[in-house]
Amino acid sequence: MLPLPDQPGALPPVPMQPRWHRRALGLVRGAPAGLRRSLAGLARSARRYAYLNSPSVAVLFPPLLAVALVLFMRHPRTNYIFDEQEALLGNPYVNAVGGLRFMDFLHRDFWGLPPNASIGSYRPIPNVLWRLLWSVSRHPFFHHLYNIAIHALNGAILGSFAYSVTRRRAAGWLAAASFVVCALLTEAVTGIVGIADVLGGLGAVLALLALRLPAWATTPAVFAAVALGMFSKESAMVCVPLVPLAALLCAPMLHPQRPARLVRALLALGGALGAFVLYVELRRRWFPSPLPEPLSRPLAAGAGTLARHYRELLVWFHQAPLPNDWMNNPLCQADLPHRVAGALRVYWRGLLQVFFPFRLSGDYSYPQEPVPATLFRWESVAGGLLMALPLCAALVLALVGRAREWLDGRRMRQAAPGSFYVLPQPSGTPLIRLGHRPWRRPLLASGFVLGVAGLCALATEAVLIYRGGSSSIRLWPYAALVLAVGVGLFVEGWRSQPVAVQAVCAWPMRRLGPALVALGLAWLVVSYFPHSNIPVLLPTVRAERFWYFPAIGTSLVLAVLFAWLGERWWRLPLGLGWLGRKLHLGRAAASAAAHEPRLATAVLGLFFGLQAVQTYRHAMDYRDDLAFWEGTKKAVPRSAKAHLNYSVMTGARGDLETRLAESRIAASLAPEWPMAHVYTGDTLCRMHRPDEAWPHYARGFGLDPNGKALIALALQCLYDEKRLLVHDAELRALADAHPGSWLAYLAVDTLNNHERHKGVEPKHRPRGYNEGPKQD
């Protein structure tokens, strides 16, 4: 009989489990038995699903969709928030007003505006999708659901590509999970306007997936994928250099029998470049927007050849003028060195948020991201280093990977001369011989015929152009496609490389690691650079949706890093027991040593747990417009726009005191912002204090005499409060001080015709909140 614990000679007590372990067990043990069995069965099923199925798109998509729905889904009673007002409710094309037909998507921008009123965003595919689904439902909850579904699909495609390169299930699942749960992408996924980003990302990952196809199908598949991305968002132009780079680095892993890395890279470049040219030419034809003002001026007399060619390229690209608003992008007021310094600071802060998303916001306007006072603040220096070093590291890693590939091949050929060499693999793994194909000669013959036909057609087109002739049909696009298919067929029919690989074995990490990390690092920098405000000033200084394309690169890097961590340190304990012994904690140290988690498990749990929690928290900011702006002003307290929009949302719910306080905060943060002053006056006017409102109105009118909506808002409230004629002299003096402005017209017209129009003429009044496009 064993002694009881309180008797002399009793057995030592069982070591106490750590607190986190006790809490978890307590939650599980406290649950009903049926629920415990269900949770255990669900865990076993998930583990079996992950281990027994190769991470293809079909396998990855269902669990990723479930996770994305849990993390990114908005409240069913949500409303239209921020840019969603203009993108859908105020979009004349989506609402089919003004006689706009379905095919008019070719001639309207992302906001449904014509070329002469566009802000430069020609994205017809999102407009088509919205127009088709607008008749199904007009509720914002419905229209954000397909954002989530496409985002999960993008993660599944990226994970499938990572698995194809690495032959590691862990790498495929980790790449997909890193992308899908990335908290920095919440704005693009949860916000309805982010449909352009997720569709552009779909084109990018489909282009990567197209690299798995045979060489003859690479060019048309990449062309179709990049075209889908370009017509969804112009940011997909980064695929032109990046997809060929991916083909160059990953061809030995994707096509070990016939790598032909340079040829496959050229074929991918042809497809991506063809899609880019098609997008620009069709945009120039269907959407003839005016040129930006700097391109309308002639070049200086002493401009060099490079400057002239660069200008010709910009004129051919024909980007519509982008708005420069110092409130949304303070860098438009800076000279080039300070603009670059500010852009690098923003890049550093955004890159930190990819890995440590502690503060997420839907707005970063003035003065949250001001022009830096000096050029060499530490954040700007860190941003510059992290923009240059990844490119250098990518080049070094690509060379290292190529050298290791050559050394491995030489070593194995020496070990088996005249035969084939075997890639490093676990012992006992079955091998497959990649040898001669019976259809090799037909492939070579077909490739030769198509290649010659394509070259002849291109030569004919060149001769016609050289002689000044013209043809009713441009031959070169079709000839280039035929040539690319012919070259691909020739590559696939060429004699295979004498190599044997295992059927389902992973590539050695020393081979695949450098290539995939190099691709991820290059993808990170190159895909972010167009959004950095360095090459061209954008309407926005900083937005989290700008990181949708760079997150593809970071996900590939994290997948390799986590897979390597799991292989090397899977059995390495976290070290709590060792730390406890060093601190002489006695029984606690023994308990920690017995129950502590493994290091790899802890790192993965911390990373994905942080991402998931922050994603869910930020997605909950999209419950409604009030929660969105409340969360925004807490995340970025120095954003004047966040405070002003929060004041409007509280005022719409009857809390005018809070609206007045927040409006005054906005005016103090941005004293030169006319909207802050007019809205402060409007709050006082609605509180039946119009005499106190007038100084704020006058200040706003003087700052922006052409702010039609603001002027109409103020004049209408003065009329409603019976104080319009009291300020007759001041309004006429302001009109005389700004001749030819909207202030001069509206002030005089309203004073003269206020009885007939009941205030401001209705067609000049601003569109109401949650109101559709104006019919006039």
Side-chain angles (χ1 to χ4, degrees):
M1 179 178 177
L2 294 176
L4 296 176
D6 55 351
Q7 293 178 344
L11 294 175
V14 177
M16 184 177 295
Q17 296 170 339
R19 184 178 300 174
W20 66 269
H21 198 274
R22 295 201 310 272
R23 287 180 179 177
L25 288 178
L27 289 175
V28 175
R29 290 171 180 169
L35 179 60
R36 292 202 304 270
R37 287 193 297 270
S38 299
L39 291 175
L42 181 63
R44 286 194 301 270
S45 299
R47 192 180 304 114
R48 189 181 305 113
Y49 186 85
Y51 283 139
L52 298 183
N53 295 290
S54 298
S56 63
V57 176
V59 169
L60 289 167
F61 180 67
L64 292 178
L65 178 60
V67 171
L69 287 172
V70 171
L71 296 182
F72 293 101
M73 185 183 293
R74 291 158 67 162
H75 194 277
R77 285 185 286 184
T78 185
N79 57 358
Y80 288 101
I81 299 171
F82 200 15
D83 289 342
E84 298 168 357
Q85 295 274 333
E86 295 296 328
L88 284 98
L89 291 180
N91 191 320
Y93 172 76
V94 173
N95 290 273
V97 300
L100 289 176
R101 301 166 302 169
F102 179 80
M103 292 304 296
D104 286 331
F105 73 89
L106 299 174
H107 313 294
R108 294 280 166 160
D109 73 352
F110 184 64
W111 312 96
L113 301 175
N116 58 354
S118 174
I119 61 171
S121 50
Y122 182 66
R123 306 163 188 171
I125 292 181
N127 264 336
V128 170
L129 187 61
W130 283 338
R131 177 76 174 256
L132 291 174
L133 297 176
W134 196 242
S135 59
V136 177
S137 173
R138 299 193 175 192
H139 198 281
F141 180 78
F142 169 75
H143 290 283
H144 93 292
L145 291 178
Y146 45 84
N147 280 26
I148 299 176
I150 298 172
H151 178 62
L153 178 61
N154 291 345
I157 295 173
L158 183 63
S160 179
F161 171 76
Y163 173 70
S164 299
V165 174
T166 63
R167 307 280 182 89
R168 281 171 163 77
R169 289 187 176 88
W173 283 99
L174 289 169
S178 300
F179 184 76
V180 168
V181 305
C182 182
L184 195 58
L185 307 183
T186 306
E187 179 189 2
V189 181
T190 304
I192 301 175
V193 179
I195 186 67
D197 298 274
V198 295
L199 282 174
L202 177 62
V205 294
L206 282 175
L208 289 177
L209 200 65
L211 301 180
R212 303 190 312 182
L213 298 175
W216 58 267
T218 299
T219 298
V222 170
F223 172 84
V226 177
L228 169 65
M230 289 289 298
F231 283 98
S232 299
K233 190 171 184 179
E234 54 277 3
S235 303
M237 69 176 68
V238 299
C239 294
V240 175
L242 290 175
V243 174
L245 177 65
L248 185 69
L249 294 174
C250 301
M253 279 76 76
L254 293 173
H255 305 278
Q257 186 181 12
R258 295 175 180 82
R261 63 173 78 227
L262 184 59
V263 177
R264 293 182 190 274
L266 291 175
L267 293 174
L269 177 62
L273 194 59
F276 175 72
V277 172
L278 176 71
Y279 170 79
V280 174
E281 289 294 334
L282 292 182
R283 185 181 65 178
R284 285 163 54 90
R285 181 172 303 178
W286 293 337
F287 196 74
S289 59
L291 278 173
E293 193 271 336
L295 294 179
S296 302
R297 297 194 304 262
L299 273 176
T305 304
L306 183 61
R308 289 198 304 271
H309 288 315
Y310 180 64
R311 176 190 171 82
E312 291 173 0
L313 176 64
L314 293 180
V315 170
W316 169 77
F317 185 67
H318 206 91
Q319 173 64 50
L322 298 174
N324 289 328
D325 180 8
W326 62 272
M327 274 301 300
N328 291 320
N329 190 352
L331 298 182
C332 68
Q333 297 180 321
D335 56 10
L336 181 60
H338 286 84
R339 188 179 97 194
V340 172
L344 293 176
R345 179 195 63 202
V346 169
Y347 171 69
W348 160 257
R349 292 177 178 178
L351 188 59
L352 278 183
Q353 285 182 307
V354 174
F355 305 101
F356 307 104
F358 295 115
R359 188 187 68 179
L360 298 172
S361 170
D363 177 76
Y364 291 92
S365 55
Y366 181 86
Q368 185 66 36
E369 292 289 351
V371 178
T374 60
L375 296 179
F376 298 103
R377 295 182 67 92
W378 73 269
E379 287 181 305
S380 299
V381 174
L385 290 175
L386 288 178
M387 190 167 280
L389 292 180
L391 293 177
C392 299
L395 177 61
V396 172
L397 287 171
L399 295 176
V400 168
R402 184 69 182 93
R404 288 178 176 176
E405 179 187 349
W406 181 80
L407 290 174
D408 287 345
R410 183 179 178 213
R411 186 182 308 114
M412 295 306 170
R413 281 192 298 269
Q414 290 176 351
S419 178
F420 57 88
Y421 63 90
V422 180
L423 294 175
Q425 57 188 330
S427 59
T429 304
L431 299 180
I432 59 172
R433 175 66 183 266
L434 300 178
H436 173 71
R437 298 191 201 180
W439 55 84
R440 176 170 166 262
R441 290 183 179 178
L443 287 175
L444 287 173
S446 302
F448 180 78
V449 171
L450 291 178
V452 170
L455 285 175
C456 291
L458 287 175
T460 303
E461 183 83 4
V463 169
L464 288 175
I465 295 175
Y466 178 75
R467 292 182 176 179
S470 60
S471 174
S472 58
I473 301 177
R474 291 294 184 93
L475 296 177
W476 69 265
Y478 309 100
L481 178 61
V482 170
L483 177 61
V485 173
V487 172
L489 289 171
F490 201 82
V491 168
E492 292 299 324
W494 193 250
R495 185 176 180 181
S496 62
Q497 180 173 298
V499 57
V501 297
Q502 55 275 24
V504 290
C505 181
W507 286 94
M509 186 65 75
R510 65 188 304 273
R511 280 277 302 278
L512 68 91
L516 209 54
V517 172
L519 174 61
L521 293 176
W523 192 290
L524 163 67
V525 177
V526 173
S527 62
Y528 180 81
F529 188 72
H531 302 98
S532 66
N533 281 287
I534 294 177
V536 63
L537 274 171
L538 300 178
T540 306
V541 64
R542 179 180 176 186
E544 292 169 0
R545 63 180 180 273
F546 289 169
W547 286 89
Y548 200 87
F549 280 85
I552 296 174
T554 59
S555 299
L556 294 176
V557 175
L558 289 173
V560 175
L561 176 63
F562 289 152
W564 176 81
L565 176 67
E567 292 179 5
R568 291 296 184 92
W569 292 354
W570 182 254
R571 297 186 178 276
L572 186 65
L574 189 58
L576 299 179
W578 173 85
L579 181 62
R581 288 191 297 271
K582 288 296 183 182
L583 296 178
H584 306 288
L585 297 182
R587 182 180 299 176
S591 170
H595 300 282
E596 64 180 335
R598 301 301 178 186
L599 179 60
T601 305
V603 170
L604 293 178
L606 285 174
F607 177 79
F608 286 108
L610 174 64
Q611 296 286 339
V613 168
Q614 293 300 100
T615 299
Y616 182 79
R617 290 183 61 187
H618 193 28
M620 288 299 100
D621 290 339
Y622 288 79
R623 294 190 302 274
D624 54 46
D625 46 14
L626 180 64
F628 176 83
W629 289 113
E630 183 180 13
T632 301
K633 78 181 186 68
K634 290 179 179 179
V636 285
R638 290 190 54 78
S639 170
K641 181 184 287 188
H643 286 281
L644 190 64
N645 279 283
Y646 178 67
S647 76
V648 173
M649 301 310 140
T650 56
R653 290 160 174 83
D655 188 358
L656 294 179
E657 292 294 340
T658 302
R659 179 182 177 182
L660 179 61
E662 294 292 334
S663 297
R664 284 173 169 165
I665 293 174
S668 65
L669 287 172
E672 300 300 317
W673 190 23
M675 184 179 289
H677 295 285
V678 172
Y679 274 34
T680 303
D682 186 67
T683 306
L684 290 167
C685 187
R686 292 175 186 274
M687 296 173 73
H688 308 294
R689 295 153 62 180
D691 293 333
E692 296 179 48
W694 172 251
H696 299 282
Y697 282 154
R699 172 69 170 159
F701 294 164
L703 289 172
D704 186 11
N706 284 306
K708 174 185 172 183
L710 294 177
I711 297 168
L713 178 71
L715 294 176
Q716 186 63 41
C717 189
L718 288 174
Y719 171 81
D720 293 338
E721 293 295 320
K722 307 293 190 292
R723 304 298 289 177
L724 178 66
L725 297 181
V726 173
H727 301 284
D728 183 292
E730 294 96 325
L731 284 170
R732 294 186 186 275
L734 286 170
D736 293 338
H738 302 281
S741 64
W742 272 108
L743 175 61
Y745 173 78
L746 287 177
V748 174
D749 180 73
T750 306
L751 288 170
N752 295 337
N753 303 295
H754 62 277
E755 292 296 340
R756 181 157 57 95
H757 298 310
K758 303 301 181 184
V760 180
E761 189 175 359
K763 70 177 183 179
H764 297 309
R765 296 176 190 176
R767 182 172 60 86
Y769 193 70
N770 272 341
E771 183 183 346
K774 296 177 74 66
Q775 297 294 326
D776 53 33

